[in-house]
Each structure stands twice: as C-alpha cells, then as structure tokens.
Amino acid sequence: MSARLHILGICGSLRAGSLNTALLRNAQAMLPADASLLIADLSGIPLFNQDLEHAPPEAVQTFKAQIASADALLFAVPEYNYSLSGVLKNAIDWASRPPEAQPFAGKPAAVMSAGGRFGGVRAQAHFRQIAAGLGMFVLPKPELLIPQAKQKFNPAGELVDPEVCDQLRAFVEAFMRWISRWR
Ligand SMILES: Cc1cc2nc3c(=O)[nH]c(=O)nc-3n(C[C@H](O)[C@H](O)[C@H](O)COP(=O)(O)O)c2cc1C
C-alpha cells in the first residue's frame, strides 16, 4: 500500500551511531502500512545567519520544504547539557524564519528521547516550550523517555529491551491517533 500519511523524522544528533536516530528507525518499523517516515538530513545545515533568512542555503530550503509537505513531525531529541542539542535548535531556528512563512504552525508532532540518566526529560521540556511558540501540536501523553539508552539497543541499533519496545509501540499508536485528530 502506498503511504497516505507522510511523517518527517527530525533528529537532534548527527553522529553515525546516534541512539536517537536508531529510535526513529525503530519507530519507522512500527508504523502502519499506510504511513511513511522520512528522516531529515540536518548535517548540511550551517549555523543560522539572519542575513540569509529570505534566501537560505539549499539544505535549509530542502528541510523547510520537507516540513511543509509532511503531515506530521516526529522529533528525536537528545539531551545536551540539560537542554536540546545545538544541531536541533539551529535547524529549528532556520526553518522558523521568516515567521510569516514558517512551516511548523499547525503541524501535529511528537517528541521522544534516548538519553542518559533521566532519559532526556529536560531536553523535552525545552523542546515543548519551543514547539508551543511555533504553533505545533505536540502529543502530550504518553511521554517517551528512555534512560540509560545505551543498554536498550543492540549494536545494529535495534531496540532489544521488551519493555521499551512496548512503550515505543504504544507511543507510535498514540501518535497515529493524535495525527488523525488534526486532519
Ligand atoms: C555535549 C553533550 C552533552 C550532554 N549532556 C547531557 C545531559 O545534560 N543529560 C543527559 O542525560 N545526557 C547528556 N549527554 C548524553 C547524551 O544525551 C547521550 O549520549 C545521547 O545518547 C546522545 O544522543 P545520540 O545517541 O542520539 O547521539 C550529553 C552528551 C553530549 C555529547
């Protein structure tokens, strides 16, 4: 079945072994047949420069177009120094400009994190504040926070913890229901 629902996955980590990217891939595998998930490539996005906001670099234009054409956004948000990563904030800043043409407004979204001791709870709190400012509708519950994430994936990036697998499945199902409320 060709996908009827297009979700854009956005990860705040660029590293090859990113557990948050792995989490997106695991979520991708749990989607219903009529939904697809494309993972945005943030690696070519330079540091934000407001002088260029009306003619942004190509990587930013691509990212903005992907957001605009997506039915929903799934953010995988690592915690860096009690907040979200600079990579993610920088990409959001670019896409949020100019404000009258920002593509986030009105999009259903969800946020999940593979993290350290507290699973990314502080990063998610900051992310939710930013998302509210941009007019996204972020799934309120269930929350998906994975503490000590390194122990929950195998080296291939597959979730191997049965409890976390169940949590992710419930989260994906709730996100699907959430998206259908806004369409
Ligand atoms: C610069 C930096 C700061 C970090 N700060 C925190 C932090 O404040 N709290 C936390 O739980 N983990 C912190 N971590 C650990 C990361 O959240 C953890 O390594 C996570 O797996 C990174 O995401 P990734 O696997 O998708 O790259 C930090 C990691 C880095 C590189």
Side-chain angles (χ1 to χ4, degrees), residues 11 13 15 17-21 78-83 114-120 122 150:
C11 180
S13 171
R15 73 187 182 95
S18 164
L19 299 175
N20 285 278
T21 302
E79 182 164 305
Y80 278 11
N81 296 313
Y82 285 28
S83 187
R117 203 161 149 214
F118 300 106
R122 295 162 291 214
K150 259 186 239 165

